[in-house]
Amino acid sequence: AQRVTQPEKLLSVFKGAPVELKCNYSYSGSPELFWYVQYSRQRLQLLLRHISRESIKGFTADLNKGETSFHLKKPFAQEEDSAMYYCALSGGYGGATNKLIFGTGTLLAVQP
Amino acid sequence: EAGVTQSPTHLIKTRGQQATLRCSPISGHTSVYWYQQALGLGLQFLLWYDEGEERNRGNFPPRFSGRQFPNYSSELNVNALELEDSALYLCASSLDRGGYNEQFFGPGTRLTVL
């Protein structure tokens, strides 16, 4: 079954502390993995995707196929990082696989 | 560039009624996706339309249906509303150039079924 699991509903850290938002997935095949973010009163937006291997706003995520994980990391949290983070997967290229399967989200709260 | 727009912002219906939600994609985008975000269930894929045709459907009953118009805007219709249909419905759009294309999300329509 296709599934994305985010085990933490809430992650609270202090400003300057490292952040790791966990994401595990279940998919038979080669999925594409994404992190989406929703800041307060804003719409859901793409943060990063594994295939681009970029660092966005200091966040990185490495796809570990052996552990079927795609954890989101940032070495030093900022207050403006406080938001809801969703991990998602897509079944790869084209056809009927364009749908996104989302995890239930993790609320990151960065305390001053 | 205008983003994805959705209307109405809020919709209140009673059980058994029908609801119609609307979505206008980003100019130039041909694919429209619908997702349901019910409390505690996260975002669940509902429907994908591209070039006026339904391309994929999530695990929802047939009373959830929709269509895409020639201008690529889309409607989501929910018939015989049930209390558990209360949720935030998000629309997203993307280009369709083959492969995965980034989906851009609208602000959502909050449907409340009484």
Side-chain angles (χ1 to χ4, degrees):
Chain A
Q2 304 169 6
R3 187 182 299 123
V4 175
T5 303
Q6 293 179 253
E8 302 142 328
K9 287 189 177 180
L10 171 66
L11 181 63
S12 182
V13 301
F14 286 103
K15 177 182 172 182
V19 171
E20 183 178 50
L21 299 170
K22 292 184 167 50
C23 172
N24 288 88
Y25 66 91
S26 172
Y27 188 83
S28 55
S30 297
E32 282 202 58
L33 274 296
F34 308 87
W35 277 98
Y36 276 79
V37 61
Q38 189 166 27
Y39 300 102
S40 179
R41 297 189 183 86
Q42 294 186 28
R43 58 187 66 188
L44 195 63
Q45 58 188 286
L46 179 67
L47 179 62
L48 54 80
R49 53 193 295 188
H50 90 270
I51 203 167
S52 63
R53 302 185 67 82
E54 292 176 302
S55 172
I56 306 294
K57 299 185 179 182
F59 284 98
T60 59
D62 289 322
L63 179 61
N64 186 323
K65 293 185 179 180
E67 295 182 358
T68 59
S69 68
F70 188 57
H71 303 327
L72 184 68
K73 299 177 183 179
K74 185 170 183 177
F76 308 104
Q78 303 298 315
E79 290 181 67
E80 54 265 31
D81 296 329
S82 296
M84 193 73 173
Y85 291 80
Y86 293 94
C87 182
L89 73 79
S90 174
Y93 291 107
T97 57
N98 264 22
K99 69 178 184 181
L100 287 168
I101 299 168
F102 285 89
T104 49
T106 298
L107 179 63
L108 175 63
V110 181
Q111 311 296 333
Chain B
E1 177 184 289
V4 176
T5 59
Q6 292 186 245
S7 63
T9 304
H10 294 89
L11 189 57
I12 300 174
K13 295 285 186 179
T14 56
R15 200 168 51 181
Q17 285 189 313
Q18 179 196 38
T20 298
L21 289 65
R22 296 179 177 83
C23 172
S24 291
I26 290 172
S27 178
H29 286 189
T30 61
S31 280
V32 170
Y33 311 81
W34 288 95
Y35 294 87
Q36 182 197 65
Q37 188 173 26
L39 200 60
L41 294 179
L43 284 144
Q44 296 186 75
F45 169 75
L46 258 168
L47 290 160
W48 169 30
Y49 290 96
D50 182 67
E51 297 287 357
E53 294 193 12
E54 183 180 301
R55 300 293 187 182
N56 199 1
R57 182 182 183 86
N59 188 24
F60 282 84
R63 58 192 185 80
F64 285 83
S65 65
R67 55 181 172 167
Q68 186 178 34
F69 299 97
N71 66 354
Y72 303 112
S73 67
S74 176
E75 273 184 3
L76 174 67
N77 294 294
V78 188
N79 294 319
L81 283 165
E82 299 179 2
L83 297 178
E84 53 265 34
D85 296 333
S86 294
L88 181 67
Y89 289 84
L90 293 178
C91 171
S93 74
S94 76
L95 296 167
D96 184 19
R97 298 172 296 191
Y100 176 83
N101 298 289
E102 180 181 348
Q103 296 183 22
F104 293 82
F105 284 81
T109 292
R110 173 75 61 186
L111 173 63
T112 302
V113 182
L114 302 175

